[in-house]
Amino acid sequence: MRKWRRTHYTDQLGPEMDGQEVVLTGWVRDIRDLGKICFMVLKDRRGTVQITAPKKVVGEELYEVISGLGRQYCVAVRGVVRAHPEAPGGFEVIPREVEVLSKARYPLPIDPTGRTPAELDVRLDARVLDLTRDEVRAIFIIQHEVLRAVREFLSKEGFVEVFTPKIIATATEGGAALFPVKYFDKEAYLAQSPQLYKEELTLSFERVFEIAPYFRAEESHTRRHLSEFVMIDVEAAFTDAEDVMEVLERLIRHVFKAVKEHCRKELALLGREDLEVPQVPFERLTYDEALELVRSEGFDVPWGEDFPTPALRALGAKKPGFYFITDWPTASKPFYIKPRDDRPELCEAFDLMHGWLELASGGTRINDKELLIRRLREQGLNPANFEHHLKTFDYGMPPHAGWAIGLARLMMVITGKQNIREVVLFPRDKFRLVP
RNA sequence: GCCCCGGUAGUUCAGCCCGGUCUAGAAUGUGCGGCUGUCGCCCGCACGACCCGGGUUCAAAUCCCGGCCGGGGCGCCA
């Protein structure tokens, strides 16, 4: 079907083009048939334009075609631009020929104009149609810019983008529940993190990053958890936690600047024109300081434990922007995090927070094999299950550090959306496997 | 997994507490008709729904129990 080649997007038209013939393609957003004149709003990915069909001008036959169109029909229109003071934007297109490329069947599951609102769950069931709305699509255009900016920044910082396996042999790290998959005649699992692989790769590339989906079979049923989610992972040789925290906060700043500069229209659609580029460095709060704050709010959290959600909310109320929580109790963090030399009950781990939302976590890693084995045992894990990983520590493993940030959580902060499902195209949780 | 709240046309909401007046109301949508400047067009007519199963009752959208699904919270989330 080559007959209809678009000559212009709707946002490339204007009253100064009066008299010019154009070919437009898109979807019928609205039809207003007044009897002897019919107005059709044509939408493409860049905007809308009014197609005006006066019966006397376009003739009986074409008038029937146009007034017979329905919302969300996919159409091509050949017509002439005409300046007209009463048309939106001061111009309209008088059609000469209209071809229906695809019809819509009614009833549509949601109103594509958004005038009759639908709940998120209903919208997700009809996600593809939901995405015809500019304000929904804006989220993902912003995400595209975020990813572009992340790659730009990390590349400039000397990081190499890599891919590590998403099908893995064993439940390497313990902890989070994994999804088992059949792998020929073996049982395998979907990766919950690239942690061990990215550490190993610092031995050769020194600085790597990976942007990929991960899978966790948790019971979590909250506004900020999904079973499948994209993480941006970074790992760097010859660095410690403080070094990579600086990379992280500068990255966040770079991303916010890029979004602010390149996604003005999309931010406006989401009511986020006021998005502020955060200043660096972000505030550093030690675990002990955070604990004290939380306790002063009346939460009885024992030393050594992670903060329960209500405590984090209280913390977020006091610290609404970006901040780090550092120097966590060693026992509260994974085995590969390096304990502090001076106080081994604490470790060189950090979390990046935005208000009460945990965005990223990272730290200095252990590069001493014997210590790593001891830490595995202390966490109740069997070193034999980490044979391949431990072997790489015999090849000159450099000291290294890194972090991982949840892409969707970052998108929640940028877009102001309160439910992670809003910022994921086709979210997966315990109760949703389709579409 | 636990707690609270909810499930009514395609969508969004009313009715439910206090069972009968519900042949279930509205908006939007869809269909048909009318209308030459609309832009959430307007006017008229029509179409379309009580989540599933069981129970109580003369009678259930309404009360009770179970299930499924949804919203929120918590837990889990190295």
PDB file of all heavy atoms in Angstrom, chain A residues 287-305 307 311 314-315:
ATOM      1  N   TYR A 287      23.281   5.872  57.949  1.00  0.00           N
ATOM      2  CA  TYR A 287      22.207   5.025  58.476  1.00  0.00           C
ATOM      3  C   TYR A 287      21.861   5.451  59.898  1.00  0.00           C
ATOM      4  O   TYR A 287      20.682   5.573  60.250  1.00  0.00           O
ATOM      5  CB  TYR A 287      22.649   3.567  58.443  1.00  0.00           C
ATOM      6  CG  TYR A 287      21.701   2.621  59.142  1.00  0.00           C
ATOM      7  CD1 TYR A 287      20.595   2.090  58.474  1.00  0.00           C
ATOM      8  CD2 TYR A 287      21.913   2.245  60.468  1.00  0.00           C
ATOM      9  CE1 TYR A 287      19.727   1.223  59.115  1.00  0.00           C
ATOM     10  CE2 TYR A 287      21.042   1.378  61.119  1.00  0.00           C
ATOM     11  CZ  TYR A 287      19.951   0.875  60.443  1.00  0.00           C
ATOM     12  OH  TYR A 287      19.089   0.021  61.075  1.00  0.00           O
ATOM     13  N   ASP A 288      22.896   5.689  60.719  1.00  0.00           N
ATOM     14  CA  ASP A 288      22.653   6.068  62.111  1.00  0.00           C
ATOM     15  C   ASP A 288      21.883   7.384  62.207  1.00  0.00           C
ATOM     16  O   ASP A 288      20.989   7.529  63.044  1.00  0.00           O
ATOM     17  CB  ASP A 288      23.983   6.179  62.865  1.00  0.00           C
ATOM     18  CG  ASP A 288      24.542   4.801  63.203  1.00  0.00           C
ATOM     19  OD1 ASP A 288      23.785   3.814  63.111  1.00  0.00           O
ATOM     20  OD2 ASP A 288      25.731   4.711  63.555  1.00  0.00           O
ATOM     21  N   GLU A 289      22.225   8.325  61.326  1.00  0.00           N
ATOM     22  CA  GLU A 289      21.511   9.607  61.326  1.00  0.00           C
ATOM     23  C   GLU A 289      20.050   9.425  60.892  1.00  0.00           C
ATOM     24  O   GLU A 289      19.134  10.010  61.476  1.00  0.00           O
ATOM     25  CB  GLU A 289      22.213  10.613  60.403  1.00  0.00           C
ATOM     26  CG  GLU A 289      23.543  11.120  60.964  1.00  0.00           C
ATOM     27  CD  GLU A 289      24.394  11.819  59.915  1.00  0.00           C
ATOM     28  OE1 GLU A 289      24.103  11.691  58.703  1.00  0.00           O
ATOM     29  OE2 GLU A 289      25.363  12.489  60.308  1.00  0.00           O
ATOM     30  N   ALA A 290      19.881   8.608  59.864  1.00  0.00           N
ATOM     31  CA  ALA A 290      18.523   8.341  59.383  1.00  0.00           C
ATOM     32  C   ALA A 290      17.703   7.637  60.465  1.00  0.00           C
ATOM     33  O   ALA A 290      16.529   7.949  60.681  1.00  0.00           O
ATOM     34  CB  ALA A 290      18.570   7.491  58.116  1.00  0.00           C
ATOM     35  N   LEU A 291      18.362   6.709  61.149  1.00  0.00           N
ATOM     36  CA  LEU A 291      17.689   5.963  62.210  1.00  0.00           C
ATOM     37  C   LEU A 291      17.227   6.908  63.321  1.00  0.00           C
ATOM     38  O   LEU A 291      16.107   6.792  63.832  1.00  0.00           O
ATOM     39  CB  LEU A 291      18.646   4.902  62.780  1.00  0.00           C
ATOM     40  CG  LEU A 291      18.056   3.924  63.797  1.00  0.00           C
ATOM     41  CD1 LEU A 291      16.993   3.048  63.131  1.00  0.00           C
ATOM     42  CD2 LEU A 291      19.142   3.051  64.412  1.00  0.00           C
ATOM     43  N   GLU A 292      18.092   7.851  63.631  1.00  0.00           N
ATOM     44  CA  GLU A 292      17.757   8.804  64.688  1.00  0.00           C
ATOM     45  C   GLU A 292      16.542   9.650  64.285  1.00  0.00           C
ATOM     46  O   GLU A 292      15.618   9.858  65.077  1.00  0.00           O
ATOM     47  CB  GLU A 292      18.971   9.706  64.946  1.00  0.00           C
ATOM     48  CG  GLU A 292      18.945  10.402  66.301  1.00  0.00           C
ATOM     49  CD  GLU A 292      20.248  11.146  66.561  1.00  0.00           C
ATOM     50  OE1 GLU A 292      21.323  10.527  66.340  1.00  0.00           O
ATOM     51  OE2 GLU A 292      20.185  12.320  66.940  1.00  0.00           O
ATOM     52  N   LEU A 293      16.556  10.092  63.032  1.00  0.00           N
ATOM     53  CA  LEU A 293      15.426  10.871  62.511  1.00  0.00           C
ATOM     54  C   LEU A 293      14.125  10.078  62.583  1.00  0.00           C
ATOM     55  O   LEU A 293      13.080  10.585  62.999  1.00  0.00           O
ATOM     56  CB  LEU A 293      15.682  11.260  61.048  1.00  0.00           C
ATOM     57  CG  LEU A 293      16.315  12.624  60.781  1.00  0.00           C
ATOM     58  CD1 LEU A 293      16.644  12.771  59.304  1.00  0.00           C
ATOM     59  CD2 LEU A 293      15.349  13.730  61.209  1.00  0.00           C
ATOM     60  N   VAL A 294      14.224   8.829  62.154  1.00  0.00           N
ATOM     61  CA  VAL A 294      13.049   7.963  62.138  1.00  0.00           C
ATOM     62  C   VAL A 294      12.539   7.715  63.562  1.00  0.00           C
ATOM     63  O   VAL A 294      11.339   7.740  63.823  1.00  0.00           O
ATOM     64  CB  VAL A 294      13.414   6.639  61.425  1.00  0.00           C
ATOM     65  CG1 VAL A 294      12.478   5.529  61.801  1.00  0.00           C
ATOM     66  CG2 VAL A 294      13.432   6.848  59.914  1.00  0.00           C
ATOM     67  N   ARG A 295      13.481   7.513  64.460  1.00  0.00           N
ATOM     68  CA  ARG A 295      13.087   7.277  65.852  1.00  0.00           C
ATOM     69  C   ARG A 295      12.445   8.516  66.463  1.00  0.00           C
ATOM     70  O   ARG A 295      11.489   8.414  67.241  1.00  0.00           O
ATOM     71  CB  ARG A 295      14.305   6.850  66.683  1.00  0.00           C
ATOM     72  CG  ARG A 295      14.676   5.383  66.445  1.00  0.00           C
ATOM     73  CD  ARG A 295      15.908   4.994  67.236  1.00  0.00           C
ATOM     74  NE  ARG A 295      16.174   3.565  67.129  1.00  0.00           N
ATOM     75  CZ  ARG A 295      17.311   2.990  67.504  1.00  0.00           C
ATOM     76  NH1 ARG A 295      18.286   3.722  68.023  1.00  0.00           N
ATOM     77  NH2 ARG A 295      17.482   1.696  67.377  1.00  0.00           N
ATOM     78  N   SER A 296      12.960   9.700  66.063  1.00  0.00           N
ATOM     79  CA  SER A 296      12.390  10.929  66.611  1.00  0.00           C
ATOM     80  C   SER A 296      10.963  11.135  66.106  1.00  0.00           C
ATOM     81  O   SER A 296      10.196  11.916  66.668  1.00  0.00           O
ATOM     82  CB  SER A 296      13.260  12.130  66.233  1.00  0.00           C
ATOM     83  OG  SER A 296      13.097  12.441  64.861  1.00  0.00           O
ATOM     84  N   GLU A 297      10.603  10.417  65.025  1.00  0.00           N
ATOM     85  CA  GLU A 297       9.236  10.481  64.517  1.00  0.00           C
ATOM     86  C   GLU A 297       8.360   9.403  65.154  1.00  0.00           C
ATOM     87  O   GLU A 297       7.207   9.227  64.748  1.00  0.00           O
ATOM     88  CB  GLU A 297       9.231  10.309  62.990  1.00  0.00           C
ATOM     89  CG  GLU A 297       9.866  11.477  62.250  1.00  0.00           C
ATOM     90  CD  GLU A 297       9.091  12.785  62.422  1.00  0.00           C
ATOM     91  OE1 GLU A 297       7.868  12.767  62.183  1.00  0.00           O
ATOM     92  OE2 GLU A 297       9.691  13.793  62.810  1.00  0.00           O
ATOM     93  N   GLY A 298       8.943   8.677  66.095  1.00  0.00           N
ATOM     94  CA  GLY A 298       8.132   7.720  66.828  1.00  0.00           C
ATOM     95  C   GLY A 298       8.188   6.296  66.308  1.00  0.00           C
ATOM     96  O   GLY A 298       7.396   5.449  66.718  1.00  0.00           O
ATOM     97  N   PHE A 299       9.115   6.002  65.397  1.00  0.00           N
ATOM     98  CA  PHE A 299       9.221   4.632  64.887  1.00  0.00           C
ATOM     99  C   PHE A 299      10.305   3.891  65.648  1.00  0.00           C
ATOM    100  O   PHE A 299      11.451   4.332  65.707  1.00  0.00           O
ATOM    101  CB  PHE A 299       9.519   4.637  63.384  1.00  0.00           C
ATOM    102  CG  PHE A 299       8.382   5.170  62.569  1.00  0.00           C
ATOM    103  CD1 PHE A 299       8.338   6.513  62.219  1.00  0.00           C
ATOM    104  CD2 PHE A 299       7.333   4.347  62.185  1.00  0.00           C
ATOM    105  CE1 PHE A 299       7.274   7.017  61.478  1.00  0.00           C
ATOM    106  CE2 PHE A 299       6.273   4.845  61.448  1.00  0.00           C
ATOM    107  CZ  PHE A 299       6.244   6.187  61.095  1.00  0.00           C
ATOM    108  N   ASP A 300       9.923   2.774  66.219  1.00  0.00           N
ATOM    109  CA  ASP A 300      10.824   2.008  67.061  1.00  0.00           C
ATOM    110  C   ASP A 300      11.558   0.977  66.217  1.00  0.00           C
ATOM    111  O   ASP A 300      11.231  -0.203  66.224  1.00  0.00           O
ATOM    112  CB  ASP A 300      10.011   1.327  68.174  1.00  0.00           C
ATOM    113  CG  ASP A 300      10.931   0.670  69.183  1.00  0.00           C
ATOM    114  OD1 ASP A 300      12.106   1.094  69.278  1.00  0.00           O
ATOM    115  OD2 ASP A 300      10.478  -0.266  69.861  1.00  0.00           O
ATOM    116  N   VAL A 301      12.557   1.451  65.461  1.00  0.00           N
ATOM    117  CA  VAL A 301      13.307   0.550  64.589  1.00  0.00           C
ATOM    118  C   VAL A 301      14.599   0.145  65.282  1.00  0.00           C
ATOM    119  O   VAL A 301      15.391   0.997  65.657  1.00  0.00           O
ATOM    120  CB  VAL A 301      13.643   1.249  63.250  1.00  0.00           C
ATOM    121  CG1 VAL A 301      14.413   0.307  62.330  1.00  0.00           C
ATOM    122  CG2 VAL A 301      12.374   1.743  62.577  1.00  0.00           C
ATOM    123  N   PRO A 302      14.811  -1.177  65.476  1.00  0.00           N
ATOM    124  CA  PRO A 302      16.050  -1.632  66.107  1.00  0.00           C
ATOM    125  C   PRO A 302      17.235  -1.384  65.186  1.00  0.00           C
ATOM    126  O   PRO A 302      17.105  -1.496  63.967  1.00  0.00           O
ATOM    127  CB  PRO A 302      15.832  -3.134  66.309  1.00  0.00           C
ATOM    128  CG  PRO A 302      14.465  -3.443  65.820  1.00  0.00           C
ATOM    129  CD  PRO A 302      13.947  -2.286  65.058  1.00  0.00           C
ATOM    130  N   TRP A 303      18.405  -1.080  65.792  1.00  0.00           N
ATOM    131  CA  TRP A 303      19.608  -0.870  64.986  1.00  0.00           C
ATOM    132  C   TRP A 303      19.919  -2.133  64.203  1.00  0.00           C
ATOM    133  O   TRP A 303      19.819  -3.236  64.727  1.00  0.00           O
ATOM    134  CB  TRP A 303      20.799  -0.514  65.871  1.00  0.00           C
ATOM    135  CG  TRP A 303      21.976  -0.049  65.041  1.00  0.00           C
ATOM    136  CD1 TRP A 303      22.270   1.227  64.693  1.00  0.00           C
ATOM    137  CD2 TRP A 303      22.991  -0.880  64.451  1.00  0.00           C
ATOM    138  NE1 TRP A 303      23.390   1.262  63.901  1.00  0.00           N
ATOM    139  CE2 TRP A 303      23.863  -0.023  63.732  1.00  0.00           C
ATOM    140  CE3 TRP A 303      23.232  -2.258  64.430  1.00  0.00           C
ATOM    141  CZ2 TRP A 303      24.961  -0.498  63.019  1.00  0.00           C
ATOM    142  CZ3 TRP A 303      24.326  -2.726  63.725  1.00  0.00           C
ATOM    143  CH2 TRP A 303      25.188  -1.851  63.026  1.00  0.00           C
ATOM    144  N   GLY A 304      20.269  -1.942  62.938  1.00  0.00           N
ATOM    145  CA  GLY A 304      20.649  -3.107  62.137  1.00  0.00           C
ATOM    146  C   GLY A 304      19.576  -3.515  61.152  1.00  0.00           C
ATOM    147  O   GLY A 304      19.846  -4.233  60.200  1.00  0.00           O
ATOM    148  N   GLU A 305      18.356  -3.027  61.359  1.00  0.00           N
ATOM    149  CA  GLU A 305      17.274  -3.433  60.450  1.00  0.00           C
ATOM    150  C   GLU A 305      17.003  -2.365  59.402  1.00  0.00           C
ATOM    151  O   GLU A 305      17.250  -1.186  59.619  1.00  0.00           O
ATOM    152  CB  GLU A 305      16.001  -3.695  61.265  1.00  0.00           C
ATOM    153  CG  GLU A 305      16.217  -4.832  62.242  1.00  0.00           C
ATOM    154  CD  GLU A 305      14.946  -5.595  62.549  1.00  0.00           C
ATOM    155  OE1 GLU A 305      13.863  -5.120  62.139  1.00  0.00           O
ATOM    156  OE2 GLU A 305      15.060  -6.642  63.189  1.00  0.00           O
ATOM    157  N   PHE A 307      14.609   0.017  57.114  1.00  0.00           N
ATOM    158  CA  PHE A 307      13.496   0.855  57.564  1.00  0.00           C
ATOM    159  C   PHE A 307      12.175   0.345  57.009  1.00  0.00           C
ATOM    160  O   PHE A 307      12.054   0.149  55.801  1.00  0.00           O
ATOM    161  CB  PHE A 307      13.709   2.309  57.119  1.00  0.00           C
ATOM    162  CG  PHE A 307      14.973   2.904  57.657  1.00  0.00           C
ATOM    163  CD1 PHE A 307      16.055   3.143  56.818  1.00  0.00           C
ATOM    164  CD2 PHE A 307      15.090   3.216  59.002  1.00  0.00           C
ATOM    165  CE1 PHE A 307      17.236   3.684  57.317  1.00  0.00           C
ATOM    166  CE2 PHE A 307      16.266   3.761  59.509  1.00  0.00           C
ATOM    167  CZ  PHE A 307      17.342   3.991  58.664  1.00  0.00           C
ATOM    168  N   ALA A 311       8.193   4.192  58.163  1.00  0.00           N
ATOM    169  CA  ALA A 311       9.329   4.974  58.638  1.00  0.00           C
ATOM    170  C   ALA A 311       9.962   5.736  57.478  1.00  0.00           C
ATOM    171  O   ALA A 311      10.355   6.894  57.611  1.00  0.00           O
ATOM    172  CB  ALA A 311      10.350   4.061  59.297  1.00  0.00           C
ATOM    173  N   ALA A 314       7.991   8.749  56.706  1.00  0.00           N
ATOM    174  CA  ALA A 314       8.277   9.835  57.651  1.00  0.00           C
ATOM    175  C   ALA A 314       9.599  10.513  57.296  1.00  0.00           C
ATOM    176  O   ALA A 314       9.713  11.738  57.340  1.00  0.00           O
ATOM    177  CB  ALA A 314       8.322   9.281  59.075  1.00  0.00           C
ATOM    178  N   LEU A 315      10.559   9.690  56.900  1.00  0.00           N
ATOM    179  CA  LEU A 315      11.855  10.219  56.488  1.00  0.00           C
ATOM    180  C   LEU A 315      11.689  11.092  55.242  1.00  0.00           C
ATOM    181  O   LEU A 315      12.249  12.192  55.150  1.00  0.00           O
ATOM    182  CB  LEU A 315      12.794   9.046  56.205  1.00  0.00           C
ATOM    183  CG  LEU A 315      14.295   9.292  56.145  1.00  0.00           C
ATOM    184  CD1 LEU A 315      14.788   9.967  57.411  1.00  0.00           C
ATOM    185  CD2 LEU A 315      15.023   7.970  55.912  1.00  0.00           C
TER     186      LEU A 315
END
